mmCIF file of all heavy atoms in Angstrom:
data_model
loop_
_atom_site.group_PDB
_atom_site.id
_atom_site.type_symbol
_atom_site.label_atom_id
_atom_site.label_comp_id
_atom_site.label_asym_id
_atom_site.label_seq_id
_atom_site.Cartn_x
_atom_site.Cartn_y
_atom_site.Cartn_z
ATOM 1 N N MET A 195 96.238 104.427 109.553
ATOM 2 C CA MET A 195 96.192 105.537 110.451
ATOM 3 C C MET A 195 94.787 105.935 110.597
ATOM 4 O O MET A 195 93.934 105.725 109.727
ATOM 5 C CB MET A 195 97.085 106.670 109.748
ATOM 6 C CG MET A 195 96.267 107.548 108.719
ATOM 7 S SD MET A 195 97.278 108.877 107.974
ATOM 8 C CE MET A 195 98.834 108.297 107.842
ATOM 9 N N PRO A 196 94.514 106.442 111.791
ATOM 10 C CA PRO A 196 93.133 106.955 112.007
ATOM 11 C C PRO A 196 92.758 107.877 110.995
ATOM 12 O O PRO A 196 93.609 108.738 110.595
ATOM 13 C CB PRO A 196 93.219 107.643 113.305
ATOM 14 C CG PRO A 196 94.375 106.993 113.997
ATOM 15 C CD PRO A 196 95.285 106.608 112.938
ATOM 16 N N VAL A 197 91.512 107.900 110.509
ATOM 17 C CA VAL A 197 91.268 108.734 109.444
ATOM 18 C C VAL A 197 90.422 109.998 109.750
ATOM 19 O O VAL A 197 89.599 109.923 110.593
ATOM 20 C CB VAL A 197 90.540 108.036 108.365
ATOM 21 C CG1 VAL A 197 91.421 107.220 107.595
ATOM 22 C CG2 VAL A 197 89.389 107.322 108.886
ATOM 23 N N ALA A 198 90.795 111.024 109.121
ATOM 24 C CA ALA A 198 90.167 112.234 109.393
ATOM 25 C C ALA A 198 89.412 112.720 108.203
ATOM 26 O O ALA A 198 88.376 113.418 108.378
ATOM 27 C CB ALA A 198 91.225 113.293 109.733
ATOM 28 N N ARG A 200 89.212 111.042 104.946
ATOM 29 C CA ARG A 200 88.797 109.847 104.291
ATOM 30 C C ARG A 200 88.380 108.872 105.354
ATOM 31 O O ARG A 200 87.251 108.707 105.551
ATOM 32 C CB ARG A 200 90.013 109.128 103.861
ATOM 33 C CG ARG A 200 91.150 109.646 104.681
ATOM 34 C CD ARG A 200 92.066 108.723 105.006
ATOM 35 N NE ARG A 200 93.213 109.231 105.371
ATOM 36 C CZ ARG A 200 94.174 108.545 105.879
ATOM 37 N NH1 ARG A 200 94.169 107.477 106.051
ATOM 38 N NH2 ARG A 200 95.258 109.018 106.165
ATOM 39 N N VAL A 201 91.066 108.799 105.376
ATOM 40 C CA VAL A 201 91.076 107.972 106.225
ATOM 41 C C VAL A 201 91.210 108.670 107.107
ATOM 42 O O VAL A 201 91.859 108.863 107.403
ATOM 43 C CB VAL A 201 91.968 107.211 105.961
ATOM 44 C CG1 VAL A 201 92.540 107.523 106.278
ATOM 45 C CG2 VAL A 201 92.960 106.719 106.007
ATOM 46 N N ARG A 202 94.607 107.879 108.504
ATOM 47 C CA ARG A 202 95.160 107.441 108.314
ATOM 48 C C ARG A 202 94.619 107.512 108.100
ATOM 49 O O ARG A 202 94.234 106.803 108.436
ATOM 50 C CB ARG A 202 96.053 107.252 108.638
ATOM 51 C CG ARG A 202 97.678 106.954 109.424
ATOM 52 C CD ARG A 202 97.994 106.509 109.366
ATOM 53 N NE ARG A 202 98.527 106.674 109.304
ATOM 54 C CZ ARG A 202 98.748 106.062 109.386
ATOM 55 N NH1 ARG A 202 98.448 106.036 109.521
ATOM 56 N NH2 ARG A 202 99.313 105.802 109.318
ATOM 57 N N TRP A 203 91.433 107.649 108.855
ATOM 58 C CA TRP A 203 91.738 107.037 109.637
ATOM 59 C C TRP A 203 91.867 107.718 109.897
ATOM 60 O O TRP A 203 91.587 107.539 109.551
ATOM 61 C CB TRP A 203 91.958 106.284 109.891
ATOM 62 C CG TRP A 203 92.245 106.141 110.685
ATOM 63 C CD1 TRP A 203 92.423 105.961 110.767
ATOM 64 C CD2 TRP A 203 92.577 105.725 111.142
ATOM 65 N NE1 TRP A 203 92.880 105.888 111.209
ATOM 66 C CE2 TRP A 203 92.932 105.835 111.367
ATOM 67 C CE3 TRP A 203 92.693 105.788 111.339
ATOM 68 C CZ2 TRP A 203 93.278 105.266 112.050
ATOM 69 C CZ3 TRP A 203 92.824 105.281 111.904
ATOM 70 C CH2 TRP A 203 93.213 105.182 112.083
ATOM 71 N N ALA A 204 93.557 106.122 108.417
ATOM 72 C CA ALA A 204 93.612 106.069 107.980
ATOM 73 C C ALA A 204 93.643 106.811 108.213
ATOM 74 O O ALA A 204 92.599 107.445 109.611
ATOM 75 C CB ALA A 204 93.581 105.337 108.713
ATOM 76 N N VAL A 205 95.931 106.496 107.237
ATOM 77 C CA VAL A 205 95.046 105.595 107.102
ATOM 78 C C VAL A 205 94.594 106.184 107.896
ATOM 79 O O VAL A 205 95.506 106.691 108.396
ATOM 80 C CB VAL A 205 95.242 105.497 107.516
ATOM 81 C CG1 VAL A 205 95.725 105.919 108.751
ATOM 82 C CG2 VAL A 205 94.708 105.442 107.460
ATOM 83 N N ILE A 206 95.031 107.276 107.671
ATOM 84 C CA ILE A 206 94.738 107.476 108.339
ATOM 85 C C ILE A 206 94.293 107.664 108.566
ATOM 86 O O ILE A 206 94.363 107.393 108.476
ATOM 87 C CB ILE A 206 94.353 107.059 108.221
ATOM 88 C CG1 ILE A 206 94.678 107.013 108.982
ATOM 89 C CG2 ILE A 206 95.110 108.493 108.150
ATOM 90 C CD1 ILE A 206 94.601 106.484 108.735
ATOM 91 N N ALA A 207 95.488 106.920 107.505
ATOM 92 C CA ALA A 207 95.200 106.842 107.394
ATOM 93 C C ALA A 207 95.535 106.911 108.915
ATOM 94 O O ALA A 207 96.541 105.480 107.826
ATOM 95 C CB ALA A 207 94.275 106.741 107.381
ATOM 96 N N ALA A 208 93.749 106.768 107.095
ATOM 97 C CA ALA A 208 94.399 105.521 107.654
ATOM 98 C C ALA A 208 95.061 105.065 108.120
ATOM 99 O O ALA A 208 95.865 104.343 108.384
ATOM 100 C CB ALA A 208 94.606 105.402 107.338
ATOM 101 N N THR A 209 95.603 105.617 107.627
ATOM 102 C CA THR A 209 96.438 104.859 108.283
ATOM 103 C C THR A 209 97.151 104.704 108.417
ATOM 104 O O THR A 209 97.082 105.413 107.725
ATOM 105 C CB THR A 209 96.201 104.653 107.987
ATOM 106 O OG1 THR A 209 96.451 104.993 108.721
ATOM 107 C CG2 THR A 209 97.491 105.494 107.722
ATOM 108 N N SER A 210 95.256 107.213 108.961
ATOM 109 C CA SER A 210 96.631 106.615 109.887
ATOM 110 C C SER A 210 95.961 106.122 109.672
ATOM 111 O O SER A 210 96.806 106.159 110.229
ATOM 112 C CB SER A 210 96.226 105.784 109.488
ATOM 113 O OG SER A 210 96.791 105.750 110.097
ATOM 114 N N VAL A 211 95.798 106.094 109.306
ATOM 115 C CA VAL A 211 96.166 106.723 109.946
ATOM 116 C C VAL A 211 96.625 106.247 110.069
ATOM 117 O O VAL A 211 96.551 106.196 109.821
ATOM 118 C CB VAL A 211 96.123 106.189 110.006
ATOM 119 C CG1 VAL A 211 96.074 106.628 109.463
ATOM 120 C CG2 VAL A 211 96.019 106.063 109.447
ATOM 121 N N ALA A 212 96.013 106.473 110.075
ATOM 122 C CA ALA A 212 95.832 106.338 110.237
ATOM 123 C C ALA A 212 95.393 105.904 110.102
ATOM 124 O O ALA A 212 95.124 105.767 110.014
ATOM 125 C CB ALA A 212 96.540 105.273 110.784
ATOM 126 N N LEU A 213 94.324 106.410 112.331
ATOM 127 C CA LEU A 213 93.888 106.461 112.716
ATOM 128 C C LEU A 213 93.362 106.825 111.529
ATOM 129 O O LEU A 213 93.869 106.822 111.108
ATOM 130 C CB LEU A 213 94.063 106.411 113.419
ATOM 131 C CG LEU A 213 94.500 106.547 114.628
ATOM 132 C CD1 LEU A 213 94.612 106.707 114.620
ATOM 133 C CD2 LEU A 213 94.786 106.330 115.092
ATOM 134 N N VAL A 214 89.575 107.625 109.006
ATOM 135 C CA VAL A 214 89.103 107.824 107.679
ATOM 136 C C VAL A 214 87.878 108.481 107.845
ATOM 137 O O VAL A 214 86.854 108.121 107.495
ATOM 138 C CB VAL A 214 88.796 106.470 107.119
ATOM 139 C CG1 VAL A 214 88.183 106.547 105.717
ATOM 140 C CG2 VAL A 214 90.077 105.676 107.083
ATOM 141 N N ASN A 251 99.414 110.606 112.961
ATOM 142 C CA ASN A 251 98.800 109.358 112.539
ATOM 143 C C ASN A 251 97.405 109.453 112.090
ATOM 144 O O ASN A 251 96.578 108.618 112.263
ATOM 145 C CB ASN A 251 98.880 108.314 113.727
ATOM 146 C CG ASN A 251 98.004 108.651 114.924
ATOM 147 O OD1 ASN A 251 97.513 109.813 114.997
ATOM 148 N ND2 ASN A 251 97.719 107.652 115.732
ATOM 149 N N GLU A 252 97.141 110.717 111.526
ATOM 150 C CA GLU A 252 95.783 110.832 110.915
ATOM 151 C C GLU A 252 95.971 111.500 109.502
ATOM 152 O O GLU A 252 97.096 112.000 109.211
ATOM 153 C CB GLU A 252 94.806 111.657 111.813
ATOM 154 C CG GLU A 252 95.414 112.940 112.446
ATOM 155 C CD GLU A 252 95.707 114.031 111.559
ATOM 156 O OE1 GLU A 252 94.847 114.279 110.629
ATOM 157 O OE2 GLU A 252 96.639 114.838 111.683
ATOM 158 N N VAL A 253 94.959 111.519 108.804
ATOM 159 C CA VAL A 253 95.045 111.794 107.402
ATOM 160 C C VAL A 253 95.388 113.234 107.042
ATOM 161 O O VAL A 253 96.064 113.526 106.002
ATOM 162 C CB VAL A 253 93.829 111.327 106.644
ATOM 163 C CG1 VAL A 253 92.986 112.396 106.153
ATOM 164 C CG2 VAL A 253 94.152 110.459 105.520
ATOM 165 N N TYR A 382 106.007 104.708 105.128
ATOM 166 C CA TYR A 382 105.126 105.439 106.061
ATOM 167 C C TYR A 382 105.810 106.619 106.643
ATOM 168 O O TYR A 382 107.013 106.641 106.857
ATOM 169 C CB TYR A 382 104.701 104.421 107.128
ATOM 170 C CG TYR A 382 103.711 105.060 108.071
ATOM 171 C CD1 TYR A 382 102.583 105.830 107.698
ATOM 172 C CD2 TYR A 382 103.872 104.939 109.496
ATOM 173 C CE1 TYR A 382 101.735 106.427 108.555
ATOM 174 C CE2 TYR A 382 102.959 105.517 110.414
ATOM 175 C CZ TYR A 382 101.946 106.294 109.903
ATOM 176 O OH TYR A 382 101.092 106.864 110.839
ATOM 177 N N GLY A 487 92.203 101.854 100.441
ATOM 178 C CA GLY A 487 92.566 101.027 101.571
ATOM 179 C C GLY A 487 92.090 101.537 102.962
ATOM 180 O O GLY A 487 92.907 101.953 103.809
ATOM 181 N N ILE A 488 90.804 101.629 103.045
ATOM 182 C CA ILE A 488 90.156 102.260 104.242
ATOM 183 C C ILE A 488 89.089 101.363 104.782
ATOM 184 O O ILE A 488 88.252 100.820 103.975
ATOM 185 C CB ILE A 488 89.520 103.633 103.834
ATOM 186 C CG1 ILE A 488 90.607 104.493 103.222
ATOM 187 C CG2 ILE A 488 88.915 104.244 105.075
ATOM 188 C CD1 ILE A 488 90.002 105.756 102.587
ATOM 189 N N GLY A 637 88.295 104.671 112.317
ATOM 190 C CA GLY A 637 88.489 104.299 110.932
ATOM 191 C C GLY A 637 89.999 104.141 110.682
ATOM 192 O O GLY A 637 90.845 104.549 111.462
ATOM 193 N N TRP A 638 90.381 103.367 109.650
ATOM 194 C CA TRP A 638 91.806 102.982 109.408
ATOM 195 C C TRP A 638 92.043 103.107 107.937
ATOM 196 O O TRP A 638 91.430 102.501 107.197
ATOM 197 C CB TRP A 638 92.140 101.699 109.946
ATOM 198 C CG TRP A 638 93.628 101.447 109.863
ATOM 199 C CD1 TRP A 638 94.399 100.711 108.953
ATOM 200 C CD2 TRP A 638 94.674 102.054 110.748
ATOM 201 N NE1 TRP A 638 95.661 100.754 109.164
ATOM 202 C CE2 TRP A 638 95.937 101.586 110.266
ATOM 203 C CE3 TRP A 638 94.660 102.946 111.843
ATOM 204 C CZ2 TRP A 638 97.166 101.973 110.830
ATOM 205 C CZ3 TRP A 638 95.819 103.281 112.384
ATOM 206 C CH2 TRP A 638 97.070 102.830 111.912
ATOM 207 N N GLN A 639 93.003 103.979 107.665
ATOM 208 C CA GLN A 639 93.565 103.940 106.290
ATOM 209 C C GLN A 639 94.931 103.392 106.287
ATOM 210 O O GLN A 639 95.740 103.762 107.112
ATOM 211 C CB GLN A 639 93.595 105.474 105.777
ATOM 212 C CG GLN A 639 94.252 105.624 104.411
ATOM 213 C CD GLN A 639 94.344 107.038 104.022
ATOM 214 O OE1 GLN A 639 93.441 107.810 104.112
ATOM 215 N NE2 GLN A 639 95.488 107.414 103.493
ATOM 216 N N MET A 640 95.173 102.529 105.385
ATOM 217 C CA MET A 640 96.485 101.844 105.460
ATOM 218 C C MET A 640 97.602 102.788 105.301
ATOM 219 O O MET A 640 97.541 103.720 104.576
ATOM 220 C CB MET A 640 96.522 100.717 104.404
ATOM 221 C CG MET A 640 96.485 101.270 102.917
ATOM 222 S SD MET A 640 96.504 99.891 101.798
ATOM 223 C CE MET A 640 96.569 100.773 100.184
ATOM 224 N N ASP A 641 98.690 102.566 106.107
ATOM 225 C CA ASP A 641 99.941 103.297 105.986
ATOM 226 C C ASP A 641 100.835 102.664 104.940
ATOM 227 O O ASP A 641 101.599 103.351 104.235
ATOM 228 C CB ASP A 641 100.688 103.232 107.336
ATOM 229 C CG ASP A 641 99.842 103.747 108.466
ATOM 230 O OD1 ASP A 641 99.371 104.918 108.386
ATOM 231 O OD2 ASP A 641 99.639 102.976 109.452
ATOM 232 N N ASP A 647 99.599 95.934 108.519
ATOM 233 C CA ASP A 647 99.327 97.310 108.948
ATOM 234 C C ASP A 647 97.846 97.493 109.422
ATOM 235 O O ASP A 647 97.598 98.428 110.149
ATOM 236 C CB ASP A 647 99.582 98.307 107.722
ATOM 237 C CG ASP A 647 99.334 99.737 108.128
ATOM 238 O OD1 ASP A 647 99.930 100.193 108.998
ATOM 239 O OD2 ASP A 647 98.570 100.438 107.410
ATOM 240 N N PHE A 726 95.494 105.099 98.995
ATOM 241 C CA PHE A 726 95.252 105.579 100.301
ATOM 242 C C PHE A 726 94.045 106.578 100.428
ATOM 243 O O PHE A 726 93.826 107.097 101.434
ATOM 244 C CB PHE A 726 96.539 106.137 100.983
ATOM 245 C CG PHE A 726 97.755 105.182 100.908
ATOM 246 C CD1 PHE A 726 98.504 105.186 99.824
ATOM 247 C CD2 PHE A 726 97.972 104.389 101.959
ATOM 248 C CE1 PHE A 726 99.625 104.291 99.693
ATOM 249 C CE2 PHE A 726 99.052 103.473 101.912
ATOM 250 C CZ PHE A 726 99.941 103.441 100.788
#
Side-chain angles (χ1 to χ4, degrees):
M195 84 179 35
V197 286
R200 23 136 158 176
V201 89
R202 52 99 145 171
W203 178 220
V205 47
I206 134 214
T209 284
S210 194
V211 6
L213 71 355
V214 174
N251 71 340
E252 44 74 34
V253 108
Y382 181 48
I488 304 167
W638 187 254
Q639 173 182 316
M640 64 183 184
D641 303 304
D647 183 53
F726 305 89

